[in-house]
Amino acid sequence: MGIVQRQGLRNTIISYCGLALGFVNTAFLLPSLLAPAQLGLTTLLVSIATIYAQFSAFGFASVGIRFFPYFRNPAAGHHGFLPFLLGLPMVGLVLSTALYLLGKPLILAQYEPQDVAMLTPFYGWVSLLALFTLLYSLQDAYLKGLYHTAFSSFLQDIVLRVLIAGLALLYGKGVVEFHEFVLGYIGLYGAISLLLTGYLAYIGELHLRPTRAALRVRPVGEIVRFGGFALLSSLSGSILGFIDSWMVGAQISLAAAGVYGIAYNISTALTIPARSLNKIAFPLLAQYWKDQDLPRMADFYRDTTRLNTILGCYLALGIGLNLDFIYSLIKNPVYATGTTAVLLLLAGRLFDGITGVNGLIVVTSPRYRYDLVFNLSLAGCTVLLNRLLIARLGITGSALATLVAIVSINTVRTWFVWYSYRLQPFTWRIPLILLVAAGSGLLVWLLPALPSKLLTMLLRGTLLTALYGGALLLLGLVPEAQPLLRKVLRRG
């Protein structure tokens, strides 16, 4: 766990700093300066570009992590792995661009006339955003294989958000028009991709000379087949992440998508611990499979699940108990209509954390093809649920569809990992952690609200931390903290 702890800690610190910046953007700047429809438009552009880039990559971001252990050789420039990693996706980008431009009438037909008028001027620019997204994801995958993950997290979670905040302020001051704001927003993704390239050069890992050795390390057919499966798997995963915003925008309006986007962003606080850990967990699990070291994988599975559960429960309670305060910071009251959606999304994120790194174990295992079956089936159900529930419940229906999707896929994956490899993430500590969280949350919820929402938030946060954190330490549910606790008690 040494390298995981070091890289995971750095990523967690960076991610939480980024979370604070993201919250400032979400709660203060963007809702104050942009109308809900404008927020919905920027969210839609990023969503389309992400799917676009994934089609182009043909699963090679996952290939970069899954197969890099076989290519690793610093003295030989890793046998030309980086140009090999970039080659096919660039060809895919050309083909995807042709399909995207030809499909313009079909895509625009899904939206209301007023939303089409907003989207049309930026439709072609999405191709450039997709290029930037593709380059960043491939370089990030390469860095994960090298166990250099902190800088890419710093760029994405901090630098990008600071630059977006600065751009939003320029728009608010009237220095730039909305059209220029959107183009600048796209340009910022290009800036962080270029900075990542510079970082690779700085650490001496920008090996761009193609070599024939790259075609001999592993059978090319095996790599391409894995990439194809990874493509379909990642696309279905993206459907789970983006289809709700797309369908809310298409079935209701871009303004509703903007409200849902704020709710979605608030709930993403729960993904920070797992996302930070997964950046280093993916290549580490690939190495475990290469070495056939299932005992260490089992320990890693259980330890990370326990830590995700501890942090997830704390964050879910902290956000859920203080939603009134969070929404009070947003000037436009229309965004508060997403409160129920936030609670449903929090429940889904928490379940995802409690079930651990099951998806990463499956996708790096010899039976990775089954992950595609799970994801494609689930993607179809998600589209159907969104179609049915949005019509009846609006944005709350979309959040409910996401909750059902997350619970379903993680239940199936957890069972599959146990059935196939007899690996499961739960120990006696998990139900006890959940019991402590439920009891602490109930006691804090019973506190009467104070006249000031800020004071109420501070009181609830302090009491929750004391009750939840104290109980976890006293019951020995955080064994990593026991030496520190004993030291403190001895001094007392």
Side-chain angles (χ1 to χ4, degrees):
M1 289 285 286
I3 189 170
V4 176
Q5 289 175 335
R6 290 194 301 272
Q7 288 286 321
L9 178 61
R10 292 172 189 168
N11 282 315
T12 299
I13 292 172
I14 291 169
S15 295
Y16 275 103
C17 289
L19 175 63
L21 290 170
F23 179 75
V24 170
N25 286 356
T26 299
F28 294 104
L29 284 177
L30 297 181
S32 299
L33 301 173
L34 301 177
Q38 292 173 323
L39 271 179
L41 175 65
T42 56
T43 301
L44 178 62
L45 294 178
V46 173
S47 299
I48 293 175
T50 301
I51 300 294
Y52 189 156
Q54 286 182 338
F55 266 114
S56 304
F58 199 73
F60 264 49
S62 296
V63 164
I65 302 170
R66 174 68 174 80
F67 287 97
F68 185 76
Y70 298 96
F71 288 79
R72 191 189 307 275
N73 188 330
H78 307 299
H79 302 295
F81 184 73
L82 182 56
F84 178 68
L85 183 66
L86 295 173
L88 183 61
M90 291 300 104
V91 176
L93 182 68
V94 174
L95 298 176
S96 296
T97 299
L99 291 174
Y100 173 72
L101 295 177
L102 289 172
K104 180 177 179 179
L106 179 63
I107 293 175
L108 294 182
Q110 307 302 311
Y111 294 89
E112 296 296 325
Q114 69 272 15
D115 294 333
V116 171
M118 290 187 66
L119 178 58
T120 300
F122 307 107
Y123 189 89
W125 288 99
V126 173
S127 296
L128 189 61
L129 180 57
L131 170 63
F132 297 150
T133 303
L134 175 63
L135 289 174
Y136 183 90
S137 66
L138 293 172
Q139 292 179 106
D140 181 55
Y142 180 55
L143 283 167
K144 287 176 182 175
L146 293 167
Y147 300 125
H148 283 267
T149 59
F151 187 73
S152 59
S153 297
F154 174 71
L155 287 179
Q156 189 172 51
D157 294 336
I158 295 182
V159 173
L160 180 62
R161 285 169 174 163
V162 168
L163 293 175
I164 288 174
L167 184 62
L169 287 172
L170 291 176
Y171 172 70
K173 295 292 184 181
V175 177
V176 299
E177 300 294 329
F178 180 69
H179 182 86
E180 295 168 321
F181 168 80
V182 175
L183 296 184
Y185 192 92
I186 293 171
L188 294 180
Y189 281 83
I192 65 168
S193 177
L194 184 61
L195 286 171
L196 204 58
T197 303
Y199 178 72
L200 282 171
Y202 173 75
I203 63 174
E205 295 289 0
L206 189 63
H207 307 294
L208 292 176
R209 178 179 297 178
T211 67
R212 292 185 178 181
L215 305 177
R216 297 193 295 266
V217 174
R218 297 292 295 179
V220 174
E222 176 190 2
I223 294 175
V224 172
R225 284 193 298 273
F226 179 85
F229 279 100
L231 166 66
L232 294 175
S233 181
S234 63
L235 282 175
S236 55
S238 293
I239 287 175
L240 300 180
F242 296 125
I243 194 64
D244 44 7
S245 296
W246 283 13
M247 297 188 72
V248 166
Q251 290 186 238
I252 306 177
S253 66
L254 285 179
V259 173
Y260 184 83
I262 295 298
Y264 188 90
N265 288 339
I266 292 172
S267 75
T268 55
L270 264 70
T271 69
I272 300 297
R275 192 177 68 180
S276 302
L277 177 67
N278 288 352
K279 288 188 176 184
I280 194 65
F282 201 151
L284 194 63
L285 289 170
Q287 189 69 48
Y288 287 155
W289 281 115
K290 178 177 178 291
D291 299 338
Q292 289 297 295
D293 196 346
L294 291 184
R296 291 182 67 189
M297 188 183 298
D299 291 339
F300 180 80
Y301 194 15
R302 288 191 292 267
D303 289 343
T304 54
T305 297
R306 176 175 51 81
L307 293 174
N308 279 337
T309 302
I310 289 171
L311 292 172
C313 287
Y314 179 69
L315 290 171
L317 290 171
I319 295 170
L321 292 167
N322 294 294
L323 271 180
D324 287 347
F325 170 74
I326 293 172
Y327 273 115
S328 73
L329 299 175
I330 303 177
K331 294 181 180 180
N332 192 337
V334 72
Y335 289 107
T337 57
T339 298
T340 303
V342 174
L343 295 174
L344 291 171
L345 291 169
L346 287 175
R349 308 281 192 199
L350 181 58
F351 191 88
D352 187 40
I354 291 172
T355 49
V357 293
N358 49 40
L360 293 182
I361 291 176
V362 174
V363 81
T364 55
S365 75
R367 307 185 76 180
Y368 63 86
R369 294 174 179 83
Y370 284 88
D371 192 55
L372 172 62
V373 177
F374 302 148
N375 283 344
L376 288 179
S377 300
L378 186 60
C381 292
T382 302
V383 173
L384 179 61
L385 285 171
N386 270 280
R387 175 66 66 180
L388 295 174
L389 295 177
I390 290 175
R392 291 166 172 77
L393 302 173
I395 64 173
T396 300
S398 186
L400 180 59
T402 299
L403 169 61
V404 172
I406 291 174
V407 170
S408 300
I409 193 169
N410 281 288
T411 299
V412 173
R413 280 174 172 162
T414 301
W415 171 83
F416 181 79
V417 170
W418 173 83
Y419 178 80
S420 300
Y421 304 108
R422 289 301 184 264
L423 298 173
Q424 61 87 18
F426 306 115
T427 66
W428 61 270
R429 289 188 173 96
I430 300 298
L432 195 52
I433 292 169
L434 295 176
L435 185 61
V436 168
S440 302
L442 178 61
L443 290 174
V444 174
W445 180 72
L446 291 174
L447 285 175
L450 300 176
S452 167
K453 290 182 179 179
L454 175 59
L455 291 177
T456 301
M457 184 275 294
L458 291 174
L459 176 62
R460 287 176 174 174
T462 301
L463 185 59
L464 175 64
T465 302
L467 289 174
Y468 182 63
L472 291 179
L473 291 174
L474 291 175
L475 293 173
L477 298 176
V478 193
E480 296 86 353
Q482 292 306 304
L484 178 62
L485 178 62
R486 286 193 293 268
K487 186 176 180 181
V488 171
L489 292 176
R490 281 198 301 267
R491 288 184 177 180

